[in-house]
Amino acid sequence: MMAGGRLDIRDHVVATLPPLAPAAARTERVRALCRARLERDRRRSRWLASISRYGRHVVAPAIIAALFLAYAVDLLSITLRTFTA
Amino acid sequence: MDLDRDVELELVSRLRERFPDAFEAVHDAFNARLFSFLARLANSRDVAEDLLEETWLRLVAHAGRLQPDTRLGPWLFTVARNLHTSYRRSRLIADSGDVDAVGLWSRGAPPPSPLEAAEASELERRVASALAALPTIYREALLLAMEGLGPSEAAAVCGISAPAMRQRLSRARALLDRQLTETDLPGLAALKEVIT
């Protein structure tokens, strides 16, 4: 940083520039648009999460159970064939 | 930045879950500041409003992917600054401020007395003119400092190192000082000549 007190004064002068305000109508429009998009995204992510939860808790166990059942039936049929031959 | 860090972390957490109330809080905290930054960076209210809208839409689009420890101020100013850079590239805007065409003056309440109003208006006009005439890299450094970003945060926003940002800020202050000194004498046209 530069030395001397003038920097502080100059910074102060710049900092005293009045804040600029965007047009209120457009601000509200953008705010509403963003709110709507967030709500839509939130609903979508909840829907995807529920599908994912359903997949984890219902579909995956059902597939595993079906495979186990097929394996067990096959094993049983092989065993029966072996002992009846 | 103004937001308390704990509050900011909570807001980020809720933004990641896309809660609209978190967005409202962030919008309230940063909308005017981002607009001031963009308006003075672009020297145009209309461009600033377009870029501001895009900044908020980017936040909404990326809300679910924010890091839990995101600093919202630097994140938003980085997006705003990058959008302005893209805009300038796309429009090939000359790196100088045409203050007469800017129309940036505040629409807020006037100062108490006519004399104070005239003095304040003249001072503001001179400072704003000097700021608008700075090259963009120096103007953005000053504007980020005005918005309360520290050198390391401002450096991250501009994609440079902290020492480079300090140097840029120092140079910006020197240029602004020269311009403010010169505005007392020959006027803005001569100031632009000094800068370029």
Side-chain angles (χ1 to χ4, degrees):
Chain A
M1 298 293 172
M2 293 177 67
R6 293 178 68 198
L7 278 180
D8 292 336
I9 294 168
R10 189 161 53 244
D11 282 349
H12 176 68
V13 167
V14 172
T16 56
L17 281 174
L20 302 169
R26 183 157 185 185
T27 297
E28 279 314 304
R29 191 173 64 76
V30 171
R31 185 199 290 261
L33 175 67
C34 291
R35 265 196 82 99
R37 285 198 183 180
L38 275 175
E39 278 166 1
R40 184 198 63 192
D41 291 351
R42 189 149 183 264
R43 275 198 303 273
R44 186 180 294 168
S45 70
R46 265 192 300 198
W47 180 72
L48 287 173
S50 70
I51 286 179
S52 168
R53 214 170 24 246
Y54 178 78
R56 264 203 314 276
H57 294 125
V58 179
V59 177
I63 290 172
I64 290 169
L67 288 172
F68 176 77
L69 193 64
Y71 172 75
V73 167
D74 201 34
L75 185 65
L76 188 63
S77 68
I78 290 170
T79 306
L80 287 175
R81 267 204 307 273
T82 305
F83 281 104
T84 54
Chain B
M1 307 301 289
D2 291 340
L3 280 179
D4 178 72
R5 185 62 180 145
D6 291 336
V7 173
E8 187 178 29
L9 289 172
E10 175 66 19
L11 284 176
V12 171
S13 167
R14 291 181 65 77
L15 266 179
R16 281 160 51 86
E17 295 175 43
R18 300 181 178 86
F19 281 105
D21 63 328
F23 173 80
E24 297 273 349
V26 177
H27 188 272
D28 288 345
F30 288 101
N31 192 55
R33 296 170 62 190
L34 283 169
F35 179 75
S36 281
F37 171 72
L38 285 168
R40 293 208 158 93
L41 195 58
N43 288 330
S44 163
R45 295 185 68 95
D46 292 338
V47 171
E49 289 191 341
D50 289 344
L51 297 179
L52 182 63
E53 177 174 343
E54 187 57 33
T55 302
W56 290 123
L57 291 175
R58 294 280 172 98
L59 177 64
V60 168
H62 290 84
R65 282 171 279 158
L66 288 174
Q67 295 297 312
D69 60 347
T70 299
R71 301 295 306 253
L72 288 170
W75 193 94
L76 288 165
F77 279 101
T78 301
V79 171
R81 186 254 181 193
N82 289 345
L83 286 170
H84 175 256
T85 302
S86 300
Y87 169 77
R88 281 187 63 237
R89 281 187 187 140
S90 68
R91 300 292 299 266
L92 298 174
I93 292 174
D95 197 3
S96 62
D98 184 0
V99 178
D100 292 336
V102 169
L104 285 177
W105 312 118
S106 172
R107 296 173 181 173
S113 77
L115 179 61
E116 284 172 345
E119 285 176 341
S121 175
E122 177 57 25
L123 177 64
E124 286 166 15
R125 191 175 296 274
R126 281 181 52 211
V127 174
S129 298
L131 188 64
L134 286 179
T136 304
I137 58 168
Y138 298 122
R139 193 161 67 244
E140 70 184 9
L142 272 177
L143 291 172
L144 290 170
M146 279 168 62
E147 292 300 335
L149 273 71
S152 58
E153 289 176 330
V157 169
C158 296
I160 59 175
S161 66
M165 174 52 75
R166 286 194 193 90
Q167 193 175 29
R168 191 176 283 185
L169 192 56
S170 176
R171 176 89 175 127
R173 287 166 165 166
L175 281 171
L176 188 70
D177 187 43
R178 261 171 64 188
Q179 292 204 20
L180 285 173
T181 307
E182 294 290 329
T183 41
D184 286 335
L185 302 170
L188 187 61
L191 284 178
K192 286 179 183 170
E193 199 177 318
V194 168
I195 290 302
T196 54

